[in-house]
Amino acid sequence: MKQLFHKLAGRRYHRLFLLAGYLLAAWALYQLAFTAMFVHECVVLPGVVTDVRQKPYEDSLQALVHGSGSCAGDVSYQPVVRFTLPSGLVINRLMSDAGDKDYTIGQPIEIITPELDPSGARINEWKYIWGTETLELGVGVLLVLLGYALRGTLRRRKATRGKENTPTRRQNSPNGQKKSSAPRRRKSSADTPSPKRRSRKKKEE
C-alpha cells in the first residue's frame, strides 16, 4: 500500500483525486440541500405494514447506502405501507427503500411524504433519507484529503532531490591545503624604506 501511495504521488495523480473529490463533494452538497428542502415540505404520517416483499440488492453499494453490510444478491425487504393523508385519502404504497430488516404485517411505521405527491413517500429513517448523500460527501472528502496527501509527498520528494543536486562549496585549495580564513595583511608604508632615505645613504658613502 505504501509503495502504491508513493507511485501515485510520483505521477501527479493528486490533481485527478482533487478534481474528483471536489466534484463529488459539490454534487453531494447539492443533493443534501435538495433533500433538506424535500424534508421541509413533507409531513410525517403514521402507517401500517400490510405486506412485505423480498428483493435482492443490485450491488454492494446499494446495500451500503441502506445501512447494510450485505453483498450484491443478498435478500432485502420492502414493506407495503398503508397511510392516510391529511386530506383523508388512504394510500397503499410499496416503499422503494429496501433494507436488511424484515417487517411483520400490522407493524406500525412512520412515513414522510409530500402532502400533494404521495408517490415520493419514504420511510422516516435517517439512512433512507440522508444515507446516499452522506456517503457521497464522505467519499468526496476522502478523495480531497488523499489528493492533498499525494501533493505533499510529491513536494517533499522534489525538495529532497533539490538538496541532493545542489553542489557543496569546496573549502580546500587545489593543492589540498585549506585556505586560511584570516584576511591578508597589507604592507604599510612604514615597513618599506622611502626613496629619499636611500639617496641620503648613498651620498654619505
Side-chain angles (χ1 to χ4, degrees), residues 173 178-188:
S173 61
K178 293 184 178 180
K179 295 182 178 180
S180 59
S181 58
R184 294 182 180 180
R185 182 181 177 185
R186 295 182 179 180
K187 294 182 179 182
S188 60

Side-chain angles (χ1 to χ4, degrees), residues 34-52:
F34 183 80
T35 303
M37 294 175 59
F38 169 81
V39 172
H40 180 71
E41 296 174 355
C42 288
V43 291
V44 179
L45 301 174
V48 178
V49 177
T50 59
D51 193 8
V52 181

Side-chain angles (χ1 to χ4, degrees), residues 49 51 53 55 77-83 91-99 103 109-113 118-124 128:
V49 177
D51 193 8
R53 298 182 184 181
K55 177 184 176 182
Y77 302 94
Q78 288 179 283
V80 179
V81 182
R82 183 178 67 245
F83 57 94
I91 303 294
N92 281 308
R93 176 168 176 77
L94 174 65
M95 296 292 103
S96 60
D97 302 316
Y103 298 90
I109 187 173
E110 277 192 348
I111 299 299
I112 181 170
T113 177
S119 61
R122 297 183 184 180
I123 300 174
N124 190 23
Y128 296 129

Side-chain angles (χ1 to χ4, degrees), residues 53-188:
R53 298 182 184 181
Q54 296 181 357
K55 177 184 176 182
Y57 287 114
E58 296 179 359
D59 50 28
S60 301
L61 180 60
Q62 184 184 18
L64 182 62
V65 166
H66 290 95
S68 173
S70 305
C71 300
D74 291 347
V75 176
S76 62
Y77 302 94
Q78 288 179 283
V80 179
V81 182
R82 183 178 67 245
F83 57 94
T84 305
L85 294 176
S87 61
L89 181 64
V90 179
I91 303 294
N92 281 308
R93 176 168 176 77
L94 174 65
M95 296 292 103
S96 60
D97 302 316
D100 57 349
K101 181 179 67 174
D102 195 2
Y103 298 90
T104 58
I105 297 177
Q107 176 183 347
I109 187 173
E110 277 192 348
I111 299 299
I112 181 170
T113 177
E115 188 173 354
L116 301 178
D117 185 15
S119 61
R122 297 183 184 180
I123 300 174
N124 190 23
E125 292 185 15
W126 186 88
K127 62 182 179 180
Y128 296 129
I129 300 174
W130 306 95
T132 304
E133 293 81 0
T134 305
L135 180 62
E136 290 177 351
L137 181 61
V139 174
V141 172
L142 286 178
L143 289 177
V144 171
L145 293 177
L146 181 59
Y148 278 114
L150 291 174
R151 190 177 71 171
T153 303
L154 182 62
R155 287 184 175 181
R156 287 193 297 270
R157 186 176 296 179
K158 287 183 177 181
T160 53
R161 287 179 181 176
K163 291 180 180 179
E164 292 176 357
N165 295 332
T166 52
T168 56
R169 295 181 178 178
R170 295 181 180 179
Q171 295 182 355
N172 298 339
S173 61
N175 297 331
Q177 298 178 356
K178 293 184 178 180
K179 295 182 178 180
S180 59
S181 58
R184 294 182 180 180
R185 182 181 177 185
R186 295 182 179 180
K187 294 182 179 182
S188 60

